Amino acid sequence: MVRRQGAKGLNFGRRRKKVNIPLLKEIGTWIVEILIVLLIAYVLVYFAGMRITVVGQSMNPTLESGQQILVNRFTYKLTDPDPNDVIVFLPNGNEKSHYYVKRVIAGPGDTVQIKSGAIYVNGELFDDAVDAAAIKEAGIAEEEILVGEDEYFVLGDNRNNSEDSRYDNIGNVKKEYIVGKAWFIVSPFRDMGRVE
């Protein structure tokens, strides 16, 4: 009796398929590149990608109502706000409020007073980064104010149309309520650029 070799059964004589090494390398490269792009995107969104809309005219001429700006949320984790920085904060930490955008005038340990429409920090005329109008309403800054530890005295650039540290309902802004530094206008396109 003769057994025929059929198609079925084990065939140890088959050739093994070769692994395409260049293709695997290319796929690996693509996976690494995609992961790097995702990491960069995450870092940008987390640290600098917060986008808010300016509400009201209190920062004219620097910022206008309706403009959208990017907020750098990372910078104040490393450093403190400086005078003339434009910051974004929640008034009194109220998370139900819209974000406020104002300019830092004085920091911890400084004294602030508004006399004859001008701002004085530590008894000296404040070196303002904007050409703002004389202040008509000094509010609580009519008397000298001592800025507390981890607090900042802020004003809007439109000094006569701004709800800011001159008023009791805002007062000095605690550092913990500061979201970050306003740094870039993204919309509308014609206004795109750095916030100075």
Side-chain angles (χ1 to χ4, degrees), residues 6 31 36 48 58 63 79 107 119 130-131 137 147 163 168 176 185:
I31 290 171
I36 290 171
S58 71
L63 297 169
T79 63
I119 308 162
V130 293
D131 187 20
E137 178 61 46
V147 181
E163 185 181 24
D168 283 325
E176 64 185 285
I185 302 167

Side-chain angles (χ1 to χ4, degrees), residues 103-123:
R103 188 173 298 277
V104 173
I105 303 301
D110 290 334
T111 59
V112 180
Q113 187 173 16
I114 298 174
K115 298 187 288 191
S116 304
I119 308 162
Y120 291 85
V121 177
N122 300 323

Side-chain angles (χ1 to χ4, degrees), residues 84-98:
N84 283 310
D85 280 1
V86 177
I87 64 168
V88 175
F89 65 96
L90 288 168
N92 302 308
N94 182 357
E95 294 186 8
K96 294 182 180 176
S97 173
H98 66 83

